Amino acid sequence: MIYLDHAATSPLRSGVWEAMQEAVGEADYNPASAHAAGVRASESLEEARRELASLLGADHRAIVFTAGGTASDNLAVLGFARANSARSPRLVVSATEHKAVLEAARQAVREGAELHVLDVDGDGRVRVAQLESLLKAEPARPTLVSVMWANNEVGTIQPVAELCRTAHRYGAVFHTDAVQAFGKLPVSLDEVRADMLTMTAHKLGGPVGIGLLYLRPDLTVEPLSYGGSQERSLWPGTQNPLGALGFAAAARLAAEGLSTIPSQWRDLRDGLAHRLQSAVPDLHIHGDGADRLPNLLSVGVPGCDQASLLVSLDLAGVAVSGGSACASGATTVSHVLEAMDVRPKASYAVLRFSFGPDTSAEEVYRAGELTGRAVSRIRGAGS
């Protein structure tokens, strides 16, 4: 199989698996237990917390382990709204946020919060001026601005440093979902002084089921579940030190590769785009005019049924994902592409190719070749 769906989940890296194996017998106990085994597990958990904090440029006390990116986004957005429920909180999010942010914000509205959605341009970029204009209107209200560092569907990188400075200028709290960005871009809280930041392990070749929320130590959010004092009572329940060590190992490996791997990915991405455009001249590259993640390429193929194309590629041994839900003869574009004003009138297949640290040029070349053939075959069948 040619696996080009790392933006969904990047398979467990060998170095991560080795780090977790070495910790078996030390970290696979309940860290809340007072006996020696529990103490060892607690020490492993805190070791992972400190390493992840160091990689982010954060105080280790600000790291809250959760069940993953969705959990962290929910805790940031809904937790902020509930903590400020008596003061008519305002949430400001971009139109292209992950559903974990958008749906949490909509739930907050049902509980009395006010929601503003920032438009994006045709490449998926948030306009800083729009945020500033909005915040100027009512600077005294408790406000959370949540804009993802890099988009999970099309790869557009947002001007998070400027957005963060703008939010702080008007007294707002700034959250960013860095799930796709970490390990592909330099992500540092020294450079972007976000008040909250989301990460998850399985996008980095770490274990599924563990993520984190960086939460500025003096910032209060309301927990979403109850029943324990773990993770500052913000994510109660038995902690996962073995998973945390795997998370830290994956983040460390990703950070170590930043000096070389992203440039290799960029060459693969641009080479694949060129091959696909040669095979499919009317191909559309989403976000082509913006800075994008080096390991992600989102394309649209007019006049091609998406379900048929994905099945055809899967049968050919190429694993990719679609960026929208489509049915033959009609198209329902994803909320991200719709916000970017990609509104095809006919069938429109969206493919998202995303690379991992071991993706080879041969695999990418072969995937481009097979994609071109599949498009020609499906278009020919429909003519």
Side-chain angles (χ1 to χ4, degrees):
M1 178 177 65
I2 299 173
Y3 186 77
L4 300 180
D5 199 17
H6 289 264
T9 287
S10 197
L12 203 66
R13 297 181 70 169
S14 59
V16 173
W17 176 239
E18 290 163 6
M20 294 174 70
Q21 281 184 309
E22 289 175 5
V24 171
E26 295 289 327
D28 48 340
Y29 297 98
N30 191 328
S33 298
H35 48 61
V39 170
R40 289 197 301 271
S42 179
E43 290 171 349
S44 295
L45 183 73
E46 295 313 309
E47 176 189 334
R49 195 189 310 274
R50 288 178 183 278
E51 180 158 16
L52 286 160
S54 176
L55 291 169
L56 285 170
D59 187 316
H60 71 279
R61 293 168 294 184
I63 302 299
V64 177
F65 285 118
T66 70
T70 294
S72 295
D73 281 345
N74 274 231
L75 181 58
V77 175
L78 195 53
F80 174 89
R82 289 177 177 175
N84 291 279
S85 60
R87 300 172 58 206
S88 302
R90 175 175 54 176
L91 305 176
V92 182
V93 305
S94 83
T96 55
E97 290 303 299
H98 191 280
K99 289 288 184 70
V101 166
L102 291 173
E103 293 302 325
R106 288 168 186 148
Q107 177 59 34
V109 169
R110 290 189 282 270
E111 297 177 13
E114 183 178 312
L115 175 62
H116 296 271
V117 179
L118 299 170
D119 297 330
V120 297
D121 64 18
D123 290 310
R125 289 171 297 206
V126 171
R127 300 174 177 90
V128 178
Q130 185 188 10
L131 174 63
E132 182 161 24
S133 176
L134 181 63
L135 296 179
K136 272 183 180 178
E138 296 178 86
R141 292 182 64 183
T143 299
L144 173 69
V145 177
S146 182
V147 178
M148 66 197 320
W149 201 302
N151 187 262
N152 58 304
E153 288 193 28
V154 299
T156 299
I157 300 168
Q158 299 292 357
V160 285
E162 192 173 357
L163 290 165
C164 183
R165 287 193 296 268
T166 301
H168 288 166
R169 192 178 306 130
Y170 294 95
V173 170
F174 186 77
H175 166 250
T176 185
D177 180 331
V179 162
Q180 295 291 344
F182 190 93
K184 289 85 179 175
L185 307 170
V187 172
S188 168
L189 288 163
D190 291 327
E191 299 298 325
V192 178
R193 297 188 177 277
D195 305 289
M196 293 188 279
L197 179 145
T198 295
M199 278 177 59
T200 195
H202 73 104
K203 307 294 188 183
L204 305 172
V208 173
I210 186 163
L212 68 78
L213 177 67
Y214 162 79
L215 177 67
R216 201 184 73 210
D218 62 336
L219 187 62
T220 299
V221 298
E222 185 75 15
L224 306 186
S225 55
Y226 303 88
S229 60
Q230 296 93 338
E231 300 303 315
R232 295 159 51 187
S233 297
L234 293 173
W235 197 259
T238 303
Q239 293 149 304
N240 181 6
L242 196 59
L245 287 172
F247 190 177
R252 180 177 65 252
L253 289 170
E256 289 172 353
L258 274 177
S259 61
T260 56
I261 293 177
S263 63
Q264 296 168 13
W265 279 334
R266 196 170 290 107
D267 290 342
L268 293 178
R269 182 198 68 189
D270 295 344
L272 177 59
H274 178 74
R275 282 190 289 278
L276 290 175
Q277 286 178 314
S278 297
V280 185
D282 57 347
L283 184 93
H284 182 68
I285 298 175
H286 303 128
D288 194 26
D291 287 336
R292 290 171 291 140
L293 288 171
N295 72 317
L296 191 151
L297 176 68
S298 173
V299 301
V301 185
C304 190
D305 176 63
Q306 175 162 296
S308 299
L309 184 53
L310 287 172
V311 169
S312 180
L313 288 173
D314 190 37
L315 291 172
V318 180
V320 298
S321 66
S324 63
C326 301
S328 183
T331 302
T332 304
V333 177
S334 78
H335 74 282
V336 171
L337 295 179
E338 188 172 22
M340 293 166 59
D341 205 29
V342 178
R343 303 169 189 267
K345 296 179 181 178
S347 59
Y348 187 79
V350 177
L351 298 177
R352 182 187 67 180
F353 301 86
S354 50
F355 315 137
D358 298 323
T359 302
S360 69
E362 292 76 17
E363 288 177 311
V364 173
Y365 181 88
R366 180 66 174 157
E369 183 179 49
L370 290 169
T371 301
R373 289 181 189 176
V375 170
S376 297
R377 185 166 57 251
I378 291 166
R379 283 177 166 178
S383 60

